Amino acid sequence: MATQTITTASYKLFPSPRNQHRNAVFEHEVFVPHPYALIDLPSMHLAGKYTLFAACRLSDMKMGQLVTFELAADGAKFERLFTPD
């Protein structure tokens, strides 16, 4: 099965196969500049919907991961709880 990519104004995105909302890019975004860090979103017990992508930031071609959130509070919670391994 071919991987679908999504290109936005800022990123080229590769959806995680574990996303429940595979093609959704929500309004609130957090770029994690650690492409191989393990991000366990279900364990954070977020209130809204979220998606995880492998990402290439187009401004500087930096590889990493982009997490998008339906709710701003979830983005803040993620930034507070996430520590790269």
Side-chain angles (χ1 to χ4, degrees), residues 6 12 20 29 32 34 37 40 42 47 50-52 57 59 66-67 71-74 79 81:
I6 300 168
K12 184 169 187 177
Q20 290 180 346
E29 303 174 342
V32 178
H34 307 280
D40 184 13
Y50 52 83
T51 51
L52 174 65
R57 188 168 51 196
S59 63
L66 185 73
V67 188
L71 305 173
D74 285 342
E79 288 181 316
L81 296 176

Side-chain angles (χ1 to χ4, degrees), residues 2-64:
T3 302
Q4 179 182 1
T5 61
I6 300 168
T7 303
T8 68
S10 302
Y11 300 99
K12 184 169 187 177
L13 304 172
F14 304 88
S16 169
R18 294 184 178 181
N19 284 342
Q20 290 180 346
H21 311 284
R22 192 153 299 175
N23 296 320
V25 179
F26 297 110
E27 179 180 357
H28 308 285
E29 303 174 342
V30 177
F31 182 75
V32 178
H34 307 280
Y36 302 107
L38 297 176
I39 299 176
D40 184 13
L41 292 168
S43 72
M44 294 186 183
H45 306 289
L46 303 170
K49 297 175 185 175
Y50 52 83
T51 51
L52 174 65
F53 300 92
C56 177
R57 188 168 51 196
L58 299 177
S59 63
D60 60 1
M61 300 307 283
K62 175 81 174 167
M63 294 299 295

